[in-house]
Short mmCIF file of all heavy atoms in Angstrom, two decimals:
data_model
loop_
_atom_site.label_atom_id
_atom_site.label_comp_id
_atom_site.label_asym_id
_atom_site.label_seq_id
_atom_site.Cartn_x
_atom_site.Cartn_y
_atom_site.Cartn_z
N PHE U 125 -7.36 -0.59 0.60
CA PHE U 125 -6.03 -0.93 0.10
C PHE U 125 -6.06 -2.07 -0.91
O PHE U 125 -5.58 -3.17 -0.66
CB PHE U 125 -5.07 -1.27 1.25
CG PHE U 125 -4.76 -0.09 2.13
CD1 PHE U 125 -4.93 -0.17 3.51
CD2 PHE U 125 -4.29 1.10 1.60
CE1 PHE U 125 -4.65 0.92 4.32
CE2 PHE U 125 -4.00 2.19 2.40
CZ PHE U 125 -4.18 2.11 3.77
N PRO U 126 -6.61 -1.83 -2.09
CA PRO U 126 -6.63 -2.87 -3.13
C PRO U 126 -5.26 -3.06 -3.77
O PRO U 126 -4.44 -2.15 -3.83
CB PRO U 126 -7.63 -2.31 -4.14
CG PRO U 126 -7.50 -0.82 -4.00
CD PRO U 126 -7.25 -0.57 -2.55
N ALA U 127 -5.04 -4.26 -4.26
CA ALA U 127 -3.87 -4.58 -5.09
C ALA U 127 -4.36 -5.56 -6.16
O ALA U 127 -5.28 -6.36 -5.91
CB ALA U 127 -2.76 -5.21 -4.26
N VAL U 128 -3.78 -5.48 -7.35
CA VAL U 128 -4.21 -6.36 -8.43
C VAL U 128 -2.99 -6.73 -9.26
O VAL U 128 -2.06 -5.94 -9.40
CB VAL U 128 -5.30 -5.67 -9.30
CG1 VAL U 128 -4.73 -4.47 -10.05
CG2 VAL U 128 -5.97 -6.65 -10.24
N MET U 134 -6.10 -11.36 -10.48
CA MET U 134 -6.13 -11.64 -9.04
C MET U 134 -6.20 -10.33 -8.28
O MET U 134 -5.41 -9.42 -8.52
CB MET U 134 -4.89 -12.43 -8.62
CG MET U 134 -5.03 -13.09 -7.24
SD MET U 134 -4.51 -12.06 -5.86
CE MET U 134 -2.76 -12.42 -5.82
N LEU U 136 -6.40 -8.44 -4.53
CA LEU U 136 -5.99 -8.62 -3.14
C LEU U 136 -6.32 -7.34 -2.39
O LEU U 136 -6.11 -6.25 -2.90
CB LEU U 136 -4.49 -8.91 -3.09
CG LEU U 136 -3.85 -9.30 -1.78
CD1 LEU U 136 -4.42 -10.60 -1.25
CD2 LEU U 136 -2.34 -9.43 -1.98
N TYR U 137 -6.84 -7.47 -1.17
CA TYR U 137 -7.21 -6.27 -0.42
C TYR U 137 -7.24 -6.57 1.07
O TYR U 137 -7.05 -7.71 1.51
CB TYR U 137 -8.58 -5.74 -0.89
CG TYR U 137 -9.74 -6.69 -0.68
CD1 TYR U 137 -10.62 -6.53 0.39
CD2 TYR U 137 -9.99 -7.73 -1.57
CE1 TYR U 137 -11.69 -7.38 0.58
CE2 TYR U 137 -11.06 -8.59 -1.39
CZ TYR U 137 -11.91 -8.41 -0.32
OH TYR U 137 -12.97 -9.27 -0.14
N THR U 138 -7.46 -5.51 1.85
CA THR U 138 -7.47 -5.60 3.31
C THR U 138 -8.89 -5.50 3.83
O THR U 138 -9.67 -4.68 3.36
CB THR U 138 -6.63 -4.46 3.92
OG1 THR U 138 -5.33 -4.48 3.34
CG2 THR U 138 -6.52 -4.62 5.42
N PHE U 152 -5.80 -10.18 4.93
CA PHE U 152 -5.87 -10.11 3.48
C PHE U 152 -6.90 -11.08 2.93
O PHE U 152 -6.99 -12.21 3.41
CB PHE U 152 -4.51 -10.45 2.86
CG PHE U 152 -3.44 -9.45 3.18
CD1 PHE U 152 -2.18 -9.87 3.54
CD2 PHE U 152 -3.69 -8.10 3.12
CE1 PHE U 152 -1.18 -8.96 3.83
CE2 PHE U 152 -2.71 -7.18 3.41
CZ PHE U 152 -1.45 -7.61 3.77
N LEU U 153 -7.63 -10.63 1.95
CA LEU U 153 -8.52 -11.50 1.19
C LEU U 153 -8.14 -11.42 -0.28
O LEU U 153 -7.63 -10.39 -0.74
CB LEU U 153 -9.98 -11.11 1.38
CG LEU U 153 -10.57 -11.54 2.73
CD1 LEU U 153 -10.39 -10.44 3.76
CD2 LEU U 153 -12.05 -11.89 2.60
N GLU U 154 -8.37 -12.50 -1.00
CA GLU U 154 -8.07 -12.52 -2.42
C GLU U 154 -9.28 -13.01 -3.19
O GLU U 154 -10.10 -13.80 -2.69
CB GLU U 154 -6.87 -13.41 -2.72
CG GLU U 154 -7.08 -14.89 -2.43
CD GLU U 154 -5.93 -15.76 -2.90
OE1 GLU U 154 -5.26 -15.38 -3.88
OE2 GLU U 154 -5.72 -16.83 -2.30
N LEU U 168 -6.36 -15.01 2.44
CA LEU U 168 -5.12 -15.34 1.76
C LEU U 168 -4.30 -16.29 2.63
O LEU U 168 -3.89 -15.93 3.74
CB LEU U 168 -4.32 -14.07 1.47
CG LEU U 168 -3.01 -14.25 0.71
CD1 LEU U 168 -3.30 -14.70 -0.72
CD2 LEU U 168 -2.21 -12.96 0.71
N ALA U 169 -4.06 -17.47 2.13
CA ALA U 169 -3.35 -18.50 2.90
C ALA U 169 -1.86 -18.19 2.96
O ALA U 169 -1.27 -17.70 2.00
CB ALA U 169 -3.57 -19.87 2.27
N GLY U 170 -1.26 -18.48 4.13
CA GLY U 170 0.19 -18.41 4.27
C GLY U 170 0.73 -17.07 4.74
O GLY U 170 1.89 -16.98 5.13
N VAL U 171 -0.07 -16.00 4.67
CA VAL U 171 0.41 -14.68 5.06
C VAL U 171 -0.34 -14.16 6.29
O VAL U 171 0.26 -13.55 7.18
CB VAL U 171 0.29 -13.68 3.90
CG1 VAL U 171 0.73 -12.29 4.32
CG2 VAL U 171 1.12 -14.16 2.71
N ASN U 172 -1.65 -14.38 6.34
CA ASN U 172 -2.43 -13.92 7.49
C ASN U 172 -1.99 -14.61 8.76
O ASN U 172 -1.56 -15.77 8.75
CB ASN U 172 -3.92 -14.18 7.25
CG ASN U 172 -4.50 -13.25 6.20
OD1 ASN U 172 -4.18 -12.07 6.18
ND2 ASN U 172 -5.34 -13.78 5.34
N GLU U 177 -2.42 -7.64 9.54
CA GLU U 177 -1.79 -7.44 8.24
C GLU U 177 -2.63 -6.49 7.41
O GLU U 177 -3.86 -6.55 7.44
CB GLU U 177 -1.65 -8.77 7.47
CG GLU U 177 -0.66 -9.74 8.06
CD GLU U 177 -1.23 -10.59 9.18
OE1 GLU U 177 -2.47 -10.73 9.23
OE2 GLU U 177 -0.45 -11.10 10.00
N GLY U 178 -1.96 -5.62 6.64
CA GLY U 178 -2.71 -4.68 5.82
C GLY U 178 -1.87 -4.12 4.69
O GLY U 178 -0.67 -4.36 4.59
N ALA U 179 -2.53 -3.34 3.83
CA ALA U 179 -1.89 -2.57 2.75
C ALA U 179 -0.99 -3.43 1.86
O ALA U 179 0.21 -3.20 1.77
CB ALA U 179 -1.11 -1.39 3.35
N PRO U 180 -1.56 -4.41 1.16
CA PRO U 180 -0.72 -5.25 0.29
C PRO U 180 -0.28 -4.50 -0.97
O PRO U 180 -0.99 -3.64 -1.49
CB PRO U 180 -1.66 -6.40 -0.06
CG PRO U 180 -3.02 -5.78 -0.05
CD PRO U 180 -2.97 -4.78 1.08
N ALA U 181 0.90 -4.83 -1.46
CA ALA U 181 1.40 -4.30 -2.73
C ALA U 181 2.09 -5.43 -3.46
O ALA U 181 2.97 -6.09 -2.90
CB ALA U 181 2.35 -3.14 -2.50
N LEU U 182 1.71 -5.66 -4.70
CA LEU U 182 2.27 -6.76 -5.49
C LEU U 182 3.30 -6.23 -6.48
O LEU U 182 3.16 -5.13 -7.02
CB LEU U 182 1.16 -7.47 -6.26
CG LEU U 182 0.17 -8.28 -5.43
CD1 LEU U 182 -1.08 -8.60 -6.26
CD2 LEU U 182 0.81 -9.56 -4.92
N SER U 183 4.33 -7.03 -6.73
CA SER U 183 5.25 -6.72 -7.82
C SER U 183 4.52 -6.91 -9.14
O SER U 183 3.44 -7.53 -9.20
CB SER U 183 6.48 -7.61 -7.75
OG SER U 183 6.11 -8.99 -7.85
N ALA U 184 5.09 -6.40 -10.23
CA ALA U 184 4.42 -6.46 -11.52
C ALA U 184 4.12 -7.89 -11.95
O ALA U 184 3.09 -8.15 -12.58
CB ALA U 184 5.27 -5.75 -12.58
N ASP U 185 5.01 -8.83 -11.60
CA ASP U 185 4.78 -10.23 -12.00
C ASP U 185 3.95 -11.00 -10.98
O ASP U 185 3.68 -12.19 -11.18
CB ASP U 185 6.12 -10.93 -12.24
CG ASP U 185 7.01 -10.97 -10.99
OD1 ASP U 185 6.55 -10.56 -9.90
OD2 ASP U 185 8.16 -11.41 -11.11
N GLY U 186 3.55 -10.35 -9.89
CA GLY U 186 2.72 -11.00 -8.89
C GLY U 186 3.45 -11.98 -8.00
O GLY U 186 2.82 -12.69 -7.21
N GLN U 187 4.79 -12.02 -8.07
CA GLN U 187 5.55 -13.01 -7.32
C GLN U 187 6.10 -12.48 -6.00
O GLN U 187 6.59 -13.25 -5.18
CB GLN U 187 6.71 -13.52 -8.18
CG GLN U 187 6.26 -14.23 -9.45
CD GLN U 187 5.33 -15.39 -9.18
OE1 GLN U 187 5.72 -16.37 -8.53
NE2 GLN U 187 4.11 -15.31 -9.65
N LEU U 188 6.05 -11.17 -5.80
CA LEU U 188 6.47 -10.58 -4.53
C LEU U 188 5.31 -9.83 -3.92
O LEU U 188 4.60 -9.09 -4.61
CB LEU U 188 7.64 -9.62 -4.73
CG LEU U 188 9.05 -10.22 -4.91
CD1 LEU U 188 10.04 -9.11 -5.23
CD2 LEU U 188 9.49 -10.98 -3.67
N LEU U 189 5.11 -10.00 -2.63
CA LEU U 189 4.07 -9.31 -1.90
C LEU U 189 4.70 -8.50 -0.78
O LEU U 189 5.38 -9.06 0.10
CB LEU U 189 3.06 -10.31 -1.31
CG LEU U 189 2.04 -9.76 -0.31
CD1 LEU U 189 1.13 -8.74 -0.99
CD2 LEU U 189 1.22 -10.88 0.32
N PHE U 190 4.53 -7.19 -0.83
CA PHE U 190 4.94 -6.31 0.26
C PHE U 190 3.69 -5.95 1.06
O PHE U 190 2.63 -5.72 0.48
CB PHE U 190 5.59 -5.03 -0.29
CG PHE U 190 6.84 -5.29 -1.09
CD1 PHE U 190 6.76 -5.54 -2.45
CD2 PHE U 190 8.08 -5.29 -0.49
CE1 PHE U 190 7.90 -5.78 -3.20
CE2 PHE U 190 9.23 -5.53 -1.22
CZ PHE U 190 9.13 -5.77 -2.58
N PHE U 191 3.83 -5.90 2.37
CA PHE U 191 2.66 -5.59 3.19
C PHE U 191 3.12 -5.06 4.54
O PHE U 191 4.32 -5.01 4.84
CB PHE U 191 1.77 -6.82 3.37
CG PHE U 191 2.36 -7.91 4.22
CD1 PHE U 191 2.07 -8.01 5.57
CD2 PHE U 191 3.20 -8.86 3.66
CE1 PHE U 191 2.60 -9.01 6.36
CE2 PHE U 191 3.75 -9.87 4.44
CZ PHE U 191 3.45 -9.95 5.79
N VAL U 192 2.17 -4.69 5.36
CA VAL U 192 2.44 -4.12 6.67
C VAL U 192 1.89 -5.05 7.75
O VAL U 192 0.79 -5.58 7.63
CB VAL U 192 1.79 -2.73 6.81
CG1 VAL U 192 2.02 -2.17 8.20
CG2 VAL U 192 2.36 -1.80 5.77
N ARG U 205 6.82 -13.28 13.94
CA ARG U 205 7.53 -12.18 13.27
C ARG U 205 8.01 -11.16 14.29
O ARG U 205 7.32 -10.86 15.26
CB ARG U 205 6.60 -11.50 12.26
CG ARG U 205 6.05 -12.45 11.21
CD ARG U 205 4.97 -11.76 10.38
NE ARG U 205 4.18 -12.74 9.66
CZ ARG U 205 2.97 -12.52 9.18
NH1 ARG U 205 2.41 -11.34 9.35
NH2 ARG U 205 2.32 -13.47 8.54
N ILE U 213 7.17 -2.89 7.50
CA ILE U 213 6.91 -3.44 6.17
C ILE U 213 7.62 -4.79 6.04
O ILE U 213 8.81 -4.91 6.36
CB ILE U 213 7.37 -2.47 5.07
CG1 ILE U 213 6.60 -1.16 5.18
CG2 ILE U 213 7.17 -3.09 3.69
CD1 ILE U 213 7.07 -0.08 4.23
N PHE U 214 6.88 -5.78 5.60
CA PHE U 214 7.38 -7.13 5.38
C PHE U 214 7.21 -7.50 3.91
O PHE U 214 6.52 -6.80 3.15
CB PHE U 214 6.59 -8.14 6.23
CG PHE U 214 6.85 -8.05 7.71
CD1 PHE U 214 6.34 -7.00 8.47
CD2 PHE U 214 7.58 -9.03 8.36
CE1 PHE U 214 6.56 -6.92 9.84
CE2 PHE U 214 7.81 -8.96 9.73
CZ PHE U 214 7.30 -7.91 10.47
N TYR U 215 7.83 -8.61 3.51
CA TYR U 215 7.62 -9.11 2.16
C TYR U 215 7.59 -10.64 2.18
O TYR U 215 8.15 -11.29 3.06
CB TYR U 215 8.70 -8.61 1.20
CG TYR U 215 10.05 -9.25 1.38
CD1 TYR U 215 10.45 -10.35 0.61
CD2 TYR U 215 10.95 -8.77 2.33
CE1 TYR U 215 11.68 -10.94 0.79
CE2 TYR U 215 12.19 -9.34 2.51
CZ TYR U 215 12.56 -10.43 1.74
OH TYR U 215 13.78 -11.02 1.92
N ALA U 216 6.91 -11.20 1.19
CA ALA U 216 6.87 -12.65 0.99
C ALA U 216 7.00 -12.92 -0.50
O ALA U 216 6.63 -12.09 -1.34
CB ALA U 216 5.57 -13.23 1.53
N GLN U 217 7.52 -14.09 -0.84
CA GLN U 217 7.71 -14.47 -2.24
C GLN U 217 6.79 -15.64 -2.56
O GLN U 217 6.60 -16.54 -1.73
CB GLN U 217 9.16 -14.86 -2.49
CG GLN U 217 9.46 -15.20 -3.94
CD GLN U 217 10.94 -15.50 -4.16
OE1 GLN U 217 11.72 -15.52 -3.22
NE2 GLN U 217 11.32 -15.73 -5.40
N LYS U 218 6.25 -15.63 -3.75
CA LYS U 218 5.37 -16.72 -4.18
C LYS U 218 6.19 -17.78 -4.89
O LYS U 218 6.88 -17.49 -5.88
CB LYS U 218 4.27 -16.20 -5.10
CG LYS U 218 3.10 -17.16 -5.26
CD LYS U 218 1.95 -16.49 -5.97
CE LYS U 218 0.68 -17.33 -5.88
NZ LYS U 218 -0.45 -16.67 -6.55
N TRP U 223 2.77 -18.80 -0.74
CA TRP U 223 3.62 -17.71 -0.30
C TRP U 223 4.61 -18.22 0.75
O TRP U 223 4.25 -19.02 1.61
CB TRP U 223 2.79 -16.58 0.30
CG TRP U 223 1.93 -15.88 -0.70
CD1 TRP U 223 0.58 -16.04 -0.89
CD2 TRP U 223 2.36 -14.91 -1.66
NE1 TRP U 223 0.16 -15.23 -1.91
CE2 TRP U 223 1.21 -14.52 -2.40
CE3 TRP U 223 3.60 -14.32 -1.96
CZ2 TRP U 223 1.28 -13.58 -3.43
CZ3 TRP U 223 3.66 -13.39 -2.98
CH2 TRP U 223 2.52 -13.02 -3.71
N THR U 224 5.85 -17.72 0.66
CA THR U 224 6.85 -18.09 1.65
C THR U 224 6.55 -17.39 2.98
O THR U 224 5.70 -16.52 3.07
CB THR U 224 8.25 -17.67 1.21
OG1 THR U 224 8.31 -16.22 1.12
CG2 THR U 224 8.61 -18.27 -0.13
N GLN U 225 7.29 -17.78 4.00
CA GLN U 225 7.22 -17.08 5.28
C GLN U 225 7.58 -15.61 5.05
O GLN U 225 8.55 -15.29 4.36
CB GLN U 225 8.23 -17.70 6.26
CG GLN U 225 8.38 -16.94 7.55
CD GLN U 225 9.52 -17.48 8.39
OE1 GLN U 225 10.00 -18.58 8.16
NE2 GLN U 225 9.97 -16.71 9.36
N PRO U 226 6.80 -14.68 5.59
CA PRO U 226 7.13 -13.26 5.42
C PRO U 226 8.41 -12.88 6.16
O PRO U 226 8.72 -13.41 7.22
CB PRO U 226 5.91 -12.55 6.03
CG PRO U 226 4.80 -13.55 5.96
CD PRO U 226 5.48 -14.87 6.21
N TYR U 227 9.14 -11.93 5.56
CA TYR U 227 10.38 -11.44 6.14
C TYR U 227 10.29 -9.94 6.34
O TYR U 227 9.75 -9.22 5.51
CB TYR U 227 11.57 -11.75 5.23
CG TYR U 227 11.81 -13.23 5.03
CD1 TYR U 227 11.25 -13.90 3.94
CD2 TYR U 227 12.58 -13.96 5.92
CE1 TYR U 227 11.46 -15.25 3.74
CE2 TYR U 227 12.80 -15.32 5.73
CZ TYR U 227 12.23 -15.96 4.64
OH TYR U 227 12.44 -17.30 4.46
N MET U 229 11.53 -6.21 6.20
CA MET U 229 12.38 -5.51 5.24
C MET U 229 13.67 -5.01 5.87
O MET U 229 14.59 -4.60 5.15
CB MET U 229 11.61 -4.32 4.64
CG MET U 229 10.46 -4.70 3.74
SD MET U 229 10.97 -5.24 2.10
CE MET U 229 11.68 -3.76 1.43
N PRO U 242 3.11 0.22 1.45
CA PRO U 242 4.14 0.21 0.41
C PRO U 242 3.56 0.16 -1.00
O PRO U 242 2.42 -0.27 -1.21
CB PRO U 242 4.90 -1.09 0.71
CG PRO U 242 3.85 -1.98 1.32
CD PRO U 242 2.97 -1.07 2.13
N PHE U 244 5.42 -0.82 -4.91
CA PHE U 244 6.66 -1.26 -5.55
C PHE U 244 6.62 -0.94 -7.03
O PHE U 244 5.66 -1.28 -7.73
CB PHE U 244 6.82 -2.76 -5.33
CG PHE U 244 8.18 -3.31 -5.64
CD1 PHE U 244 9.32 -2.68 -5.18
CD2 PHE U 244 8.31 -4.46 -6.39
CE1 PHE U 244 10.57 -3.20 -5.46
CE2 PHE U 244 9.55 -5.00 -6.66
CZ PHE U 244 10.70 -4.36 -6.21
N LEU U 251 10.92 1.31 -3.94
CA LEU U 251 9.83 1.05 -3.01
C LEU U 251 9.38 2.38 -2.42
O LEU U 251 10.18 3.11 -1.82
CB LEU U 251 10.27 0.11 -1.89
CG LEU U 251 9.18 -0.27 -0.89
CD1 LEU U 251 8.20 -1.26 -1.53
CD2 LEU U 251 9.78 -0.89 0.38
#
Side-chain angles (χ1 to χ4, degrees):
F125 293 127
V128 66
M134 196 271 274
L136 187 62
Y137 62 101
T138 306
F152 294 137
L153 284 90
E154 65 173 332
L168 182 67
V171 178
N172 289 319
E177 291 84 22
L182 291 164
S183 60
D185 61 7
Q187 298 303 297
L188 282 174
L189 170 64
F190 299 88
F191 69 95
V192 177
R205 303 171 196 159
I213 298 174
F214 290 73
Y215 73 95
Q217 183 177 4
K218 197 170 192 179
W223 293 103
T224 64
Q225 172 188 344
Y227 297 93
M229 292 283 294
F244 193 47
L251 182 73

